[in-house]
Amino acid sequence: MTDMLNYDDVLKNFDPAIGLEVHVELSTASKMFCGCSTTFGGEPNSQTCPVCLGLPGALPVVNAKAVESAIRIGLALNCQIAPWGRFARKNYFYPDMTKNFQTSQYDEPIAHDGWVELEVDGETFRIEIERAHMEEDAGKLTHVGTSGRIHGAEYSLIDYNRAGTPLIEIVTRPVLGTGAKAPQVAKAYVSHLRDLMRALKVSDVRMEHGSLRCDANISLAPKGATELGTRTETKNVNSLRSVERAITTEMRRQAAVLIDGGRVKQETRHFDEATGTSRPGRSKENEQDYRYFAEPDLVPIAPSREWIEELRASLPEPPVQRRKRLAAEWGFDELAMRDIVAVGAMDMIDETVAAGAAPQAARKWWGGELARRANEAGIELEELSISPQDVAEISALVTSGELNDKLARQVIEGVLAGEGTARAVVDARGLKIVSDDGALKDVVDKAIADNPDVAAKIRDGKHQAIGALIGPVMKAMRGQADAGRVRELILEELG
């Protein structure tokens, strides 16, 4: 049996349908139903209490800030906000949740029936939002003695610090008609949600910390079929790049199964970012398997119409409108903005410009050198160990003539390596451009003496040969010279 079908052949034979379940971890100071801290990185099991540990007799209380954030998210997604809603118990064997059920919402979510529109390669796609509901996160399992899988582990450790952290789960309806662009549409949708959550300031949406996670449902149906195929759910995809890769991989895998006459199993799958492959998890449950019932320890939520409208009025500028405004302010055309969005650089450029850099300079560094480094490391731009303020400082040093682009790249390297601020790296490494004409003239004279044939050509008016002298001068100066000034000095020396 073929493991993977060529992507073009997938599209010749099948129509993909995708459905995305995105979990957003809210940036509240305390957990969903208790007062424990949600600060990331605490000592294991240090941020727990009888409520989030599910001890007998402990009673939950709803986090008001989480409810407010949920309503603002729903409004930003063009959802209807329910005037009345309940929590429910979702029963399942949870080794990372001591209660052995998750407090979630089932038939009465806080927000429902919304939509967003996305543009991918000039084509607009409308994503229908089925629901956005509140729930709590589970703890974290660490399987010791393996590469992270439970099978073959010597033992497993549980950290309950994350258990009870407020989550919003945003669920789409099946997205049809995306064709070959299905993986790109999914990536664009998750990117849109990330931008939206940042604008709302309800989450730090750090995918590497797990505060934004995507479960991607994929199914294939024969060309022209009216019924959807059997879906699989790829769990906890934790980067934008991996959302696109995971869906592409699963489409190719399912197509190979179907072409060979097999049947796709309804199951969860786990995507391996290192290998670009997925492995089966467990059979996928249906809703009735979770035995939902109303949470008896929590009263229903009934937000007033006045409060909802007050929250609606507080919503920030939508990301699409913001892109158009920034394009006008920065003087960038549509193609430039598309490139910026594609590498996830808009926020970083905006903050760098706010820190004093020119838009073109901010774009050059974030969209070029830093995007390259992030891509090589397989991480997002904001995960790099360099801030917009650092980049603005580097840009200012280039503008002032203290650095050229080559030296600036070395400064970036130093900042990324943790050597301090841009100025600290310049001082420690001695990277400032040499502006002393006396020092430059000595090196220029040597280059001319070492290359008499080139010097003769330049004296004869063949100035295009000057590069053969500038190169040795820049090398001797370790790149710490102004190439323009070097050129002037060579021409002065050669008349």
Side-chain angles (χ1 to χ4, degrees):
M1 175 180 170
T2 304
D3 290 335
M4 296 278 182
L5 194 66
N6 180 278
Y7 193 70
D8 289 338
D9 291 333
V10 175
L11 277 302
K12 288 177 185 176
N13 293 278
F14 302 100
D15 290 321
I18 57 175
L20 300 164
E21 302 171 16
V22 176
H23 293 81
V24 178
E25 195 173 89
L26 300 180
S27 297
T28 54
S30 57
K31 294 185 179 181
M32 188 72 210
F33 303 113
C34 69
C36 290
S37 171
T38 58
T39 302
F40 180 82
E43 285 295 316
N45 299 305
S46 63
Q47 297 163 198
T48 59
C49 73
V51 174
C52 56
L53 291 177
L55 300 183
L59 294 175
V61 177
V62 174
N63 185 322
K65 186 65 177 179
V67 176
E68 177 186 307
S69 297
I71 293 173
R72 296 181 74 230
I73 290 170
L75 292 171
L77 294 171
N78 303 296
C79 288
Q80 301 295 314
I81 304 302
W84 177 272
R86 295 180 299 175
F87 283 98
R89 291 187 179 184
K90 182 180 180 182
N91 295 276
Y92 189 71
F93 173 65
Y94 292 99
D96 46 7
M97 188 170 283
T98 59
K99 298 185 297 185
N100 217 27
F101 65 84
Q102 180 188 39
T103 305
S104 181
Q105 289 186 302
Y106 175 47
D107 54 343
E108 297 181 59
I110 188 71
H112 57 91
D113 296 316
W115 55 271
V116 298
E117 286 189 343
L118 310 168
E119 188 174 298
V120 178
D121 294 336
E123 187 175 356
T124 300
F125 295 90
R126 185 181 176 96
I127 311 295
E128 300 285 344
I129 308 294
E130 180 178 299
R131 57 193 282 142
H133 64 263
M134 296 180 286
E135 60 186 24
E136 60 181 336
D137 207 348
K140 181 182 178 181
L141 285 168
T142 301
H143 305 299
V144 179
T146 68
S147 59
R149 299 182 64 179
I150 191 170
H151 301 292
E154 296 175 19
Y155 55 90
S156 296
L157 300 173
I158 306 177
D159 178 7
Y160 288 114
N161 280 352
R162 195 175 64 186
T165 298
L167 288 181
I168 301 297
E169 182 175 357
I170 303 166
V171 182
T172 71
R173 292 192 171 92
V175 183
L176 309 175
T178 56
K181 294 179 182 176
Q184 290 76 32
V185 170
K187 178 183 178 182
Y189 170 73
V190 178
S191 178
H192 176 83
L193 289 188
R194 187 178 67 169
D195 292 345
L196 190 61
M197 300 306 130
R198 280 180 176 157
L200 292 168
K201 297 182 179 178
V202 295
S203 173
D204 64 10
V205 285
R206 295 287 298 274
M207 297 188 82
E208 75 278 12
H209 288 174
S211 53
L212 179 70
R213 309 192 292 274
C214 176
D215 296 342
N217 293 274
I218 309 104
S219 68
L220 297 178
K223 280 285 186 183
T226 56
E227 294 186 5
L228 299 179
T230 302
R231 68 184 174 95
T232 62
E233 181 181 11
T234 303
K235 301 287 288 184
N236 294 331
V237 185
N238 59 8
S239 75
L240 294 178
R241 180 168 173 261
S242 290
V243 169
E244 183 175 0
R245 292 176 68 209
I247 290 178
T248 302
T249 296
E250 185 58 13
M251 286 172 62
R252 294 179 60 200
R253 188 195 70 83
Q254 288 189 19
V257 171
L258 295 170
I259 285 290
D260 283 348
R263 296 177 62 186
V264 173
K265 296 179 181 178
Q266 183 168 316
E267 62 185 1
T268 63
R269 297 190 68 84
H270 300 279
F271 181 70
D272 187 325
E273 297 195 33
T275 63
T277 60
S278 67
R279 63 180 188 271
R282 55 178 169 78
S283 61
K284 179 60 182 171
E285 290 74 19
N286 293 310
E287 288 184 349
Q288 60 267 27
D289 296 317
Y290 291 118
R291 296 180 292 113
Y292 284 98
F293 63 85
E295 169 57 69
D297 292 332
L298 291 169
V299 298
I301 295 170
S304 68
R305 179 52 51 189
E306 292 76 18
W307 187 36
I308 292 171
E309 292 309 314
E310 182 182 326
L311 294 176
R312 191 192 304 275
S314 72
L315 294 180
E317 182 181 24
V320 173
Q321 292 180 19
R322 178 176 174 236
R323 281 198 291 272
K324 291 179 179 179
R325 174 179 60 80
L326 290 177
E329 290 178 3
W330 295 342
F332 293 169
D333 60 21
E334 183 180 342
L335 182 60
M337 289 303 290
R338 192 182 301 171
D339 290 342
I340 288 168
V341 172
V343 297
M346 192 171 70
D347 285 343
M348 310 308 284
I349 292 173
D350 193 16
E351 291 181 37
T352 304
V353 171
Q360 287 289 359
R363 177 194 172 198
K364 176 180 72 175
W365 294 116
W366 287 110
E369 177 71 12
L370 292 166
R372 178 184 64 79
R373 288 177 178 271
N375 185 60
E376 288 176 352
I379 59 177
E380 306 298 332
L381 273 177
E382 62 268 19
E383 297 174 52
L384 290 171
S385 301
I386 189 168
S387 70
Q389 290 72 28
D390 291 326
V391 176
E393 185 179 5
I394 292 167
S395 176
L397 291 170
V398 173
T399 301
S400 69
E402 291 186 59
L403 296 177
N404 55 27
D405 283 0
K406 181 178 180 180
L407 293 174
R409 283 189 284 272
Q410 293 182 50
V411 175
I412 287 173
E413 182 181 87
V415 173
L416 290 172
E419 297 174 18
T421 65
R423 173 61 68 183
V425 173
V426 169
D427 293 342
R429 292 193 178 192
L431 295 176
K432 188 182 295 186
I433 282 179
V434 175
S435 56
D436 178 8
D437 278 1
L440 287 176
K441 190 174 180 301
D442 290 342
V443 181
V444 167
D445 288 343
K446 185 176 187 309
I448 291 173
D450 290 345
N451 298 275
D453 293 342
V454 176
K457 290 179 182 180
I458 296 171
R459 287 193 180 96
D460 291 339
K462 297 177 181 178
H463 289 181
Q464 64 269 27
I466 201 168
L469 293 183
I470 292 176
V473 173
M474 296 300 289
K475 183 177 181 181
M477 298 299 297
R478 296 185 303 157
Q480 292 178 245
D482 182 338
R485 184 57 184 151
V486 170
R487 188 178 193 280
E488 291 172 0
L489 289 174
I490 291 172
L491 290 176
E492 287 174 10
E493 287 296 308
L494 297 177

